[in-house]
Amino acid sequence: MSQIAGAAAAALTSLQADDVDFLCSLPKAELHAHLNGSIPINTVLELAQQYSPSIAQLPSDAQTAEKNAIAETIQQLKSGVSLNEISDFFSLFPAIYALTSTPQALQTATCAVLRWFLKDDGTTSPQCTYLELRTTPRETPEVPRYSGLPDRLSRSSHER
């Protein structure tokens, strides 16, 4: 579970255990989640371990410095990453886009995000009961823009 700090932590500590249980049991809706910003960190790390850099996977207009920065970030992910500030997370986006540049990686990410948001293991309530998951797939040699891939991923994810 993520750490809760500040005013939210103070509000949480003011509640009784029954209040927390009640709030956790309420159905929730996520109306604006972005796929690449919702990938569980364990899945990002898994994708980083499986990633093998390829010039073909990077956008054709990517500059050498950007390619090096992405490779460096992926190496940091492989070694373990600490996300303490919001800027730590946002700095991962170029690498996350590189890590999700194949249909298989997109499917892995989509399934992980759906499992996290919609989990229902019988012991806890799902994170949410309604999810609007958004994405704008990046065009890569393996994933042409507007290829219908998100629809195929969605159907495949629900079949699991």
Side-chain angles (χ1 to χ4, degrees):
M1 182 176 202
S2 61
Q3 291 183 351
I4 300 174
L12 184 60
T13 59
S14 72
L15 298 174
Q16 300 294 322
D18 288 347
D19 296 329
V20 174
D21 291 342
F22 171 73
L23 291 173
C24 288
S25 72
L26 290 174
K28 297 160 193 74
E30 174 60 64
L31 301 177
H32 193 100
H34 290 263
L35 177 65
N36 283 341
S38 299
I39 302 170
I41 191 64
N42 289 342
T43 303
V44 173
L45 296 173
E46 174 190 328
L47 292 171
Q49 292 297 334
Q50 297 169 359
Y51 181 76
S52 56
S54 160
I55 296 298
Q57 289 179 322
L58 295 172
S60 59
D61 61 345
Q63 301 296 321
T64 302
E66 183 179 2
K67 291 178 190 176
N68 291 340
I70 290 170
E72 199 173 293
T73 302
I74 290 171
Q75 279 303 349
Q76 288 174 342
L77 285 168
K78 289 179 179 181
S79 302
V81 66
S82 177
L83 304 174
N84 299 314
E85 303 291 330
I86 192 77
S87 59
D88 296 338
F89 174 72
F90 284 123
S91 68
L92 296 178
F93 272 107
I96 290 172
Y97 285 126
L99 293 173
T100 58
S101 63
T102 66
Q104 181 59 42
L106 273 174
Q107 183 172 9
T108 297
T110 301
C111 289
V113 169
L114 290 174
R115 275 193 302 274
W116 188 85
F117 273 111
L118 305 175
K119 69 182 170 200
D120 188 3
D121 60 11
T123 61
T124 60
S125 298
Q127 180 69 16
C128 65
T129 55
Y130 179 81
L131 170 65
E132 289 184 9
L133 186 61
R134 302 164 186 282
T135 188
T136 304
R138 307 278 184 207
E139 183 174 9
T140 70
E142 294 186 52
V143 183
R145 191 153 189 131
Y146 307 115
S147 64
L149 185 62
D151 294 331
R152 291 196 308 271
L153 289 174
S154 177
R155 282 193 299 275
S156 174
S157 298
H158 283 98
E159 292 167 2
R160 289 183 172 203

